[in-house]
Amino acid sequence: MDLTVHIGNLKLKNPVMTASGTFGYGEEYSEFINLNRLGAIVVKGISLEPMEGNPPPRICETPCGMLNAIGLQNIGLKRFLGEKLPYLRKFNTKVIVNILGNTIRDYIRLAQALEDERVDGIELNVSCPNVKKGGIIFGTDKKMLGRLISGVRKSIKKTLLITKLFPNTSNIHEFAKIAEDSGSDAISLINTIPAMAIDIEIWRPKLANITGGLSGPAIRPVAVRMVWEASRAVKIPVIGIGGTMNSDDAIEFMLAGATAIQVGTANFLNPKSTVEIIDGIEKYLKKKGINNIVDIIGALCYA
Amino acid sequence: MDLTVHIGNLKLKNPVMTASGTFGYGEEYSEFINLNRLGAIVVKGISLEPMEGNPPPRICETPCGMLNAIGLQNIGLKRFLGEKLPYLRKFNTKVIVNILGNTIRDYIRLAQALEDERVDGIELNVSCPNVKKGGIIFGTDKKMLGRLISGVRKSIKKTLLITKLFPNTSNIHEFAKIAEDSGSDAISLINTIPAMAIDIEIWRPKLANITGGLSGPAIRPVAVRMVWEASRAVKIPVIGIGGTMNSDDAIEFMLAGATAIQVGTANFLNPKSTVEIIDGIEKYLKKKGINNIVDIIGALCYA
Amino acid sequence: MSRYFRAKVVSNLPLNKKSNLLTLRPLERAKNPEPGQFYMIEVGNSYDPLLKRPFSYFRKTSEDIQFLYAVRGKGTLLMKDFMEGEIINIIGPLGTGYPKPSRGYIAVLIGGGTGIASIFSLAERLTKNAYILHGAKCREELLAVNELKSLKGESFICTDDGSFGEKGTTVEILEEILTQNSRLKTQNLIYACGPRAMLEAVSKLAADKGIKGYFSLVEYMACGFGACLGCAVKTVHGYKRVCKEGPVFPIEEIVW
Amino acid sequence: MSRYFRAKVVSNLPLNKKSNLLTLRPLERAKNPEPGQFYMIEVGNSYDPLLKRPFSYFRKTSEDIQFLYAVRGKGTLLMKDFMEGEIINIIGPLGTGYPKPSRGYIAVLIGGGTGIASIFSLAERLTKNAYILHGAKCREELLAVNELKSLKGESFICTDDGSFGEKGTTVEILEEILTQNSRLKTQNLIYACGPRAMLEAVSKLAADKGIKGYFSLVEYMACGFGACLGCAVKTVHGYKRVCKEGPVFPIEEIVW
Ligand SMILES: Cc1cc2nc3c(=O)[nH]c(=O)nc-3n(C[C@H](O)[C@H](O)[C@H](O)COP(=O)(O)OP(=O)(O)OC[C@H]3O[C@@H](n4cnc5c(N)ncnc54)[C@H](O)[C@@H]3O)c2cc1C
Ligand SMILES: Cc1cc2nc3c(=O)[nH]c(=O)nc-3n(C[C@H](O)[C@H](O)[C@H](O)COP(=O)(O)OP(=O)(O)OC[C@H]3O[C@@H](n4cnc5c(N)ncnc54)[C@H](O)[C@@H]3O)c2cc1C
Ligand SMILES: Cc1cc2nc3c(=O)[nH]c(=O)nc-3n(C[C@H](O)[C@H](O)[C@H](O)COP(=O)(O)O)c2cc1C
Ligand SMILES: Cc1cc2nc3c(=O)[nH]c(=O)nc-3n(C[C@H](O)[C@H](O)[C@H](O)COP(=O)(O)O)c2cc1C
Ligand code: FES
Ligand code: FES
């Protein structure tokens, strides 16, 4: 059975990746699973300088979902390269680095530094809803998004470039098209949906940041629809993210048009989710008599 | 204890309304609850001509939510006025009619006919995601939305005009502002979020319409955030909709800035939801020692 | 007497690997159901699963309502965990059940799989001139075999693999019955509930032989009482709600 | 020996109106916990509630792990329904527990409400020179009173309303103890877990008297093992994760 999928020039041994911000820098999961088994590890968003993140409370639970406003806390490029990347390099798994900046120049510097270190891929976080100065304007402004992507594209040679899209739009296909036209090798979607919860006893937002991003099974139907729309609008591969809890959900995304999927919130509930999903996909394909996983990508039938 | 709230020129005896499309024409619930107790009844969307709706399956369940693609099935204006409105008139409850059309002219004709029959309010459904020709373009195009609202506004005299907003945008406050500036007396939000689910056994969409609208508790955090954003952008009252299952949820919307709320999907699980929510709000206010419900509207504290 | 009421789980007994017999006792005064009607049953107390699930009532005793259900997905899986004494919310009786056969008609009742639940409620009311057919894949999936024996009508049991009763499908038995009493065939009246494939086959047979009858249909439901328009099926008179105008429809009105 | 493992519910006994004692038996080989460590416990098998919930372990016996929990919201409400024999997933032991007091130090342990669970695991390990304080609003909310008596250290129990033990708060008792052995006060070492108000008061007292110690903090958690950065608390060294660097932090490092 062949689980291999291709995202741009990257060959993944299976379509199961981790979603940025939910898998730390990989180390946190090494005691639970064999990291070699993953298609790719996408690490927590990295900025040029370390960021301390938002004050607590940073998370809360909602029906079949959770809100987070971590505020992009990260150790910064330098410490990432010095302390975290060497560890990840030990595994036979692709390493994709999620990056975020305030300006196009920030993104370019990050991308170049990471290409120099030969990471396997770069995922542009243009869509994180939690910090005002951050990538968010790129994620909702088509022109800016195009300029950002082509800027980064030109500044790096062959490293895989993925653009991660913002779900809060009525025309995801247009953003997908811009990513493709500006030189993105793939798109990933969706990031969390901006949301909010209030503690009605004390009349305060449950998050110190007031709003946060909704993730988990609650958003999966929205994510599947967006992946379906985006994958019909572009030729580059689409990576499906949002509420994948098990292999059935992963298969749903792939039938909708995703070439690979990322597992986020599920890792918190069950740190073995990713490998259980890989096993589950294999079992499903066996049951269905399918030898090559690419046969299910976008295989949705109509009427 | 005073539960009265005002939406434009309408005085509601309490802030609990029903959400369009989830309460039929009221009759279906009369055996379960005393319709006189409701703040207002918003009926299923009405078009000039009857619509037969989408083929089945029309609904499916998702984590903490459901998808629907009813396709705006309705009996049309004439039969509504002849068969349904007289029944609703018997109750001491405001009647608000959700309307939808393909053109601004359609909306105007509907609004005028309903004003002639002295319904208490009109809710513009500019946001239903299920029919291609329907209101959807109004809901995502700011210029069109403005023209629609001012067109309807000018054509009717004093009937309350509510614009129901589409959640699939990154700038709900702009749509809210347009509704206000174009003469809407209030806005209601959110409608369902476009979404999709796939049956992985048969590789087909779970809905015949392929996509549908997500409702239920899953979307509440998104709805609360949008209500909060919208209510800070406009002076007209905001009606909060999305996943209100109980009085706690209703209070959450009101703290976020809603003057009233609509109960949708909850009616299906428990046809008594609306009155239980009214009772629950009363209990909450008593416990908190609040005499007037308006004191909680937008009372969210920060920091 | 509200149709939305609380009920206590009296028992929840496994009948076979897939199916249980659930006995509920209403804690409030509840309406008596008519054959073919159904109830919406709350399967858990979180919002996942969210919606109640529809089940035909199988039997109504003086105090209790009984259901036969098969475990299919996450809702019915939770129902398996219903414990004696647990209290759940249910809505019903709902929908329009089977019209009684007029005098002189011979009722042929067909319950495929759990479809027997809906059919049984009618079978119990018929005193004579009735055939009751129940089929399943294999012995282990048959339901209510003993109860069927106790009925006044003549009952036939079949399995696809022949592991119990006759080997074959209910449709084959139906054909035999219709052939045997062929002189009267237009005085046969078919009542059927079961898998779609079975209903389609029965429908074809009925059309061929000019026999009338009624099917109980299934469709996904959100409310069960006519409010959501989610359970539409196509009929010759346009879309109809399975939960309100149905679940029972005249065979010839159904558009497949 | 994975920290993610399945465990069987051995018992789940109500201790008072709000709290239960939960005994779990790991079905796989599991690591032994250190005092102050905690576990993430799966509260149900649907996605609502979604996340596991963090609980300090109360006691470790040769085969089992015990927890003391209070019903607060929907997760703990579901835990009350845990039945003997049920199998659940848990993660642990997690976090960094209490450092042992160095020789010559007098440990003063304070458990407010369910905070006693975390404190108890340490108390059991201390053989002498230890005071253990446990307080609650009223008699009905006290926990593990008998277990406290069996400890080697000296234990004090108090209730706000005086319905059991001394009338007053743990903070008042702490003050008394510190006054009594005042000569040695800098050789006291405080360990506390409980409501925020209690910890803030203890922290003030400790600062006033120049006494060092450790608090076990709580924060909302998604993962419990350091991956989500959701459980940050402010310390003098910046944000730290309650689930990894904590839950136990030196009192003087905590920024309130
Ligand atoms: C009027 C009516 C009467 C019914 N009576 C009975 C009965 O007496 N005994 C019995 O065992 N079942 C009966 N059913 C079917 C029963 O409602 C479904 O099996 C049940 O809802 C499945 O719930 P789930 O959560 O386990 O499955 P899900 O996880 O929701 O889905 C699992 C599978 O079950 C099927 N299913 C789900 N919902 C429905 C539905 N509303 N209608 C049909 N199929 C569905 C689908 O094929 C789906 O793939 C009846 C259905 C209707 C509409
Ligand atoms: C390291 C650690 C150890 C803990 N040990 C114990 C213990 O031994 N015994 C015990 O009874 N409780 C303990 N708790 C608290 C326990 O985790 C919460 O009471 C529980 O998660 C509440 O879940 P719920 O779904 O019932 O409440 P929810 O419905 O989620 O919330 C109800 C209320 O509980 C509180 N709460 C919810 N989650 C947390 C959380 N993660 N931390 C603190 N408060 C929370 C909030 O104030 C909220 O208003 C511990 C918490 C942490 C972080
Ligand atoms: C705690 C948390 C932190 C996250 N941090 C990032 C991040 O740094 N960069 C990013 O692009 N996405 C981040 N995300 C979004 C996830 O990568 C993912 O897009 C989202 O959670 C939806 O997937 P899920 O439902 O499987 O979790 C974060 C999500 C969570 C829950
Ligand atoms: C079955 C169904 C039918 C609906 N029909 C309409 C409609 O005709 N017009 C409209 O404006 N909204 C319609 N809605 C949207 C609801 O009014 C409401 O905005 C949405 O369901 C979110 O609220 P909830 O989560 O409380 O259900 C419908 C929703 C459902 C579930
Ligand atoms: S299930 Fe709602 S109308 Fe039939
Ligand atoms: S709970 Fe996830 S990092 Fe602490």
Side-chain angles (χ1 to χ4, degrees), chain D residues 27-95:
Chain D
L27 296 180
E28 298 153 44
R29 268 186 64 203
K31 279 195 185 140
N32 278 324
E34 291 298 317
Q37 285 193 307
F38 70 96
Y39 290 78
M40 295 295 285
I41 298 185
E42 179 182 78
V43 295
N45 41 26
S46 83
Y47 296 128
D48 177 36
L50 182 68
L51 303 168
K52 291 188 164 54
R53 302 291 197 254
F55 294 91
S56 305
Y57 86 96
F58 164 61
R59 244 180 166 172
K60 174 77 183 74
T61 66
S62 60
E63 286 192 287
D64 299 331
I65 316 171
Q66 292 190 311
F67 300 89
L68 277 183
Y69 68 91
V71 173
R72 294 219 169 76
K74 64 179 175 179
T76 42
L77 204 61
L78 281 175
M79 285 174 65
K80 271 214 103 132
D81 290 341
F82 278 171
M83 287 190 308
E84 215 184 291
E86 206 170 317
I87 288 168
I88 55 174
N89 290 303
I90 80 172
I91 314 180
L94 297 165

Side-chain angles (χ1 to χ4, degrees), chain B residues 199, chain C residues 38 53-56 68-70 72-77 114 117 217-221 242 247:
Chain B
D199 185 325
Chain C
F38 69 97
R53 302 291 195 258
F55 294 91
S56 305
L68 277 183
Y69 67 92
R72 295 219 169 76
K74 63 181 176 177
T76 42
L77 204 60
T114 53
L217 300 181
V218 300
E219 190 46 74
Y220 289 91
M221 292 186 174
V242 170

Side-chain angles (χ1 to χ4, degrees), chain B:
Chain B
M1 178 156 333
D2 191 356
L3 294 187
T4 316
V5 297
H6 289 84
I7 307 282
N9 55 11
L10 275 201
K11 183 173 154 182
L12 307 186
K13 57 172 146 323
N14 64 59
V16 178
M17 313 167 59
T18 64
S20 176
T22 67
F23 208 71
Y25 300 108
E27 275 168 315
E28 291 80 355
Y29 288 86
S30 59
E31 63 166 311
F32 299 113
I33 60 170
N34 178 352
L35 296 179
N36 288 310
R37 290 208 57 203
L38 301 176
I41 293 174
V42 183
V43 300
K44 176 79 189 152
I46 297 289
S47 49
L48 283 174
E49 298 304 324
M51 288 173 68
E52 73 161 350
N54 287 328
R58 290 178 170 187
I59 55 169
C60 75
E61 196 178 274
T62 66
C64 288
M66 62 173 282
L67 302 186
N68 89 78
I70 306 301
L72 301 173
Q73 176 178 344
N74 78 87
I75 56 172
L77 177 66
K78 209 174 125 193
R79 282 185 58 198
F80 172 72
L81 296 180
E83 299 168 24
K84 303 297 178 181
L85 190 57
Y87 175 80
L88 287 169
R89 279 269 161 254
K90 287 192 262 176
F91 297 92
N92 175 23
T93 290
K94 306 294 176 196
V95 176
I96 295 172
V97 182
N98 181 278
I99 62 171
L100 71 148
N102 294 325
T103 62
I104 296 184
R105 264 192 61 134
D106 288 354
Y107 280 97
I108 290 179
R109 284 178 54 197
L110 282 158
Q112 287 176 331
L114 290 163
E115 172 156 79
D116 289 348
E117 297 287 336
R118 297 196 315 280
V119 304
D120 298 296
I122 290 166
E123 183 178 59
L124 296 179
N125 181 357
V126 295
S127 52
C128 186
N130 296 332
V131 277
K132 270 113 227 160
K133 293 191 305 180
I136 192 163
I137 54 157
F138 295 111
T140 57
D141 179 324
K142 288 176 217 160
K143 261 202 211 111
M144 288 295 283
L145 180 67
R147 283 173 48 197
L148 170 66
I149 298 170
S150 21
V152 174
R153 177 74 282 169
K154 274 177 220 137
S155 70
I156 55 175
K157 287 190 199 77
K158 50 181 210 318
T159 309
L160 181 79
L161 183 62
I162 303 170
T163 304
K164 184 163 178 179
L165 294 177
F166 189 60
N168 231 25
T169 165
S170 59
N171 43 12
I172 194 75
H173 51 285
E174 290 177 28
F175 285 91
K177 200 87 192 65
I178 283 164
E180 176 173 52
D181 293 344
S182 316
S184 212
D185 298 312
I187 53 176
S188 57
L189 70 164
I190 60 177
N191 211 312
T192 54
I193 305 178
M196 172 174 178
I198 296 170
D199 185 325
I200 68 160
E201 284 311 314
I202 55 172
W203 294 16
R204 283 174 201 280
K206 286 194 177 173
L207 301 181
N209 191 54
I210 304 176
T211 63
L214 179 62
S215 66
I219 69 170
R220 192 176 65 245
V222 178
V224 170
R225 190 260 309 169
M226 289 199 157
V227 163
W228 176 70
E229 285 182 358
S231 69
R232 285 151 48 100
V234 296
K235 291 194 192 63
I236 53 175
V238 172
I239 300 164
I241 323 172
T244 294
M245 308 308 283
N246 53 43
S247 53
D248 286 1
D249 303 341
I251 290 157
E252 185 175 15
F253 272 111
M254 296 190 74
L255 289 170
T259 299
I261 57 103
Q262 290 181 10
V263 180
T265 302
N267 291 305
F268 303 152
L269 282 69
N270 173 359
K272 294 182 178 172
S273 295
T274 44
V275 296
E276 289 179 4
I277 289 170
I278 298 167
D279 293 341
I281 292 175
E282 203 154 30
K283 223 163 124 184
Y284 174 88
L285 295 179
K286 200 168 285 167
K287 199 184 73 188
K288 290 276 178 189
I290 296 168
N291 287 321
N292 198 322
I293 194 163
V294 299
D295 292 345
I296 72 166
I297 298 171
L300 187 65
C301 309
Y302 307 95

Side-chain angles (χ1 to χ4, degrees), chain A residues 59 268, chain D residues 40 220-232 241-244:
Chain A
I59 55 170
F268 303 152
Chain D
M40 295 295 285
Y220 289 91
M221 293 185 174
C223 68
F225 48 85
C228 73
L229 308 182
C231 62
R241 293 168 293 187
V242 170
C243 74
K244 192 96 178 181

